Amino acid sequence: MLKRTFIYLLIQELIIFAILFFGPGLALIHYINISFYVSLIAFLIGLLVYIMRSGFLDRVHYGFRKVARKIRGDEENEFSDMMLSELVGLPYADMILSSILVFLSSMLSLILYYL
């Protein structure tokens, strides 16, 4: 878990510094703003994966699949009776934890900016 969290954290920081390098420039206030946005997007993606894996959307997904099969006239296949929570295999805890760490680095930078 720690290795995957570190990889997600590294990916987020690389995205932040790539945006800083090719975007507005290397300034602390720009790092604060961009790191907040990147951590927010990663956190929302992690929450979406958590909701999908929890089984909350299984019945909705099954209903839409059933209606789409009837409209298109498709035959049932090996994936037609699988629930959405079984199809999504991403680990969400590492993504949420790494986005919280990036957000905390953003807040720490904000405190240092105003000191």
Side-chain angles (χ1 to χ4, degrees):
M1 180 175 156
L2 190 60
K3 182 179 178 183
R4 201 172 306 152
T5 304
F6 181 72
I7 290 171
Y8 285 141
L9 183 68
L10 186 65
I11 289 170
Q12 288 180 34
E13 290 295 332
L14 286 174
I15 290 171
I16 291 168
F17 284 114
I19 292 172
L20 282 175
F21 185 72
F22 294 114
L26 296 173
L28 185 60
I29 192 70
H30 297 305
Y31 172 79
I32 294 167
N33 292 333
I34 293 171
S35 65
F36 175 76
Y37 289 130
V38 169
S39 69
L40 177 68
I41 290 169
F43 187 74
L44 290 176
I45 291 171
L47 285 180
L48 182 66
V49 170
Y50 169 71
I51 289 171
M52 286 191 288
R53 287 199 54 184
S54 70
F56 184 74
L57 299 174
D58 281 348
R59 297 296 171 201
V60 174
H61 179 255
Y62 177 75
F64 278 120
R65 258 194 170 164
K66 193 173 182 180
V67 168
R69 267 197 318 262
K70 284 186 180 182
I71 290 173
R72 286 186 271 158
D74 290 342
E75 296 293 323
E76 291 192 24
N77 56 17
E78 61 189 75
F79 298 113
S80 63
D81 50 343
M82 290 182 71
M83 294 294 182
L84 181 64
S85 58
E86 297 171 358
L87 293 173
V88 177
L90 287 173
Y92 59 88
D94 303 325
M95 192 178 302
I96 291 174
L97 181 62
S98 67
S99 66
I100 289 173
L101 290 174
V102 171
F103 177 75
L104 289 176
S105 74
S106 172
M107 290 295 111
L108 181 66
S109 300
L110 185 65
I111 290 170
L112 291 175
Y113 180 75
Y114 282 111
L115 285 181

